[in-house]
Amino acid sequence: LAWLMAKLGSLGPHLHALARGDDPRPVVPDREAQSLGSEITLDEDVRGRAEILPHLRRQADRVGRRLRRAGLVAGGVRVKLKTSKFKLHTRQAALRPATDAGDMLFREGERLLEAFDLGEPMRLVGLAAFDLADAAAPIQGELFGNEARQRQHRLDRAVDALRDRFGRTAVRRGSDLED
């Protein structure tokens, strides 16, 4: 305690108490989520864009489904990669308009991969949606070009319904099928 007080002043006793598990603040278990994410720690490290993309695609699809189930849209996407040496790298970007579509999350996540050194072996691939908002809340609409997003939304809902009824593997992407 004396060392912490000497180094940190009045913050020292507070940090000392927290380190000992003494925290009088009330636990708030039901706060609103700040983000929704999905990640996978791989059995074998992957290297390069081609090996990372299928894992990023699956995480984007999972996050999109979770957003739709929660009735939320994301205003941003974050990609998380951890190297075989346990060094964590993240990059994020805003999404406009906000979305719950796995395809849009994936496309932006794929673009973010350009900012990483993909020559390093990676053991974890993750994607998270943040800046969450109620999907039913009114938003500024687009005057033109909304048809493709509406079609994608109907397709995502149909796939969700099939998976709810027949199981998670009832509908899969062709890229997920093995030889």
Side-chain angles (χ1 to χ4, degrees):
L1 178 59
W3 183 86
L4 284 172
M5 287 177 68
K7 296 291 182 186
L8 303 172
S10 63
L11 186 59
H14 176 67
L15 293 178
H16 183 261
L18 291 178
R20 294 180 40 225
D22 184 11
D23 188 355
R25 295 176 294 183
V27 174
V28 182
D30 294 329
R31 67 176 201 175
E32 280 190 42
Q34 302 295 310
S35 65
L36 281 174
S38 179
E39 59 190 42
I40 183 168
T41 300
L42 304 166
D43 293 334
E44 295 180 20
D45 294 344
V46 294
R47 184 188 313 243
R49 184 180 186 83
E51 289 186 23
I52 292 171
L53 280 177
H55 301 290
L56 190 65
R57 164 62 81 181
R58 283 192 279 287
Q59 303 321 307
D61 286 342
R62 285 183 184 132
V63 170
R65 180 174 166 94
R66 291 180 63 200
L67 286 168
R68 289 187 297 277
R69 281 188 157 190
L72 298 170
V73 290
V77 65
R78 181 179 306 115
V79 172
K80 174 178 171 181
L81 299 176
K82 187 181 288 185
T83 69
S84 60
K85 295 179 182 176
F86 297 96
K87 186 167 182 183
L88 184 64
H89 302 280
T90 61
R91 299 290 184 273
Q92 66 184 36
L95 294 169
R96 296 296 175 253
T99 187
D100 61 6
D103 277 350
M104 287 183 68
L105 296 169
F106 172 71
R107 279 196 302 271
E108 189 60 32
E110 181 181 25
R111 191 186 67 72
L112 289 171
L113 285 182
E114 296 169 11
F116 292 94
D117 174 9
L118 301 180
E120 267 189 279
M122 302 292 174
R123 70 173 47 230
L124 179 142
V125 177
L127 184 136
F130 63 92
D131 194 11
L132 305 179
D134 185 347
I139 58 169
Q140 174 69 41
E142 289 183 7
L143 191 55
F144 302 105
N146 200 18
E147 298 84 20
R149 267 203 332 273
Q150 289 174 347
R151 273 195 310 274
Q152 183 65 51
H153 187 71
R154 287 192 304 271
L155 175 62
D156 289 340
R157 291 284 183 191
V159 169
D160 289 347
L162 286 168
R163 287 179 174 158
D164 287 346
R165 183 166 180 188
F166 299 110
R168 191 173 60 103
T169 60
V171 178
R172 295 190 292 174
R173 292 185 180 274
S175 58
D176 286 342
L177 300 175
E178 295 182 22
D179 294 331

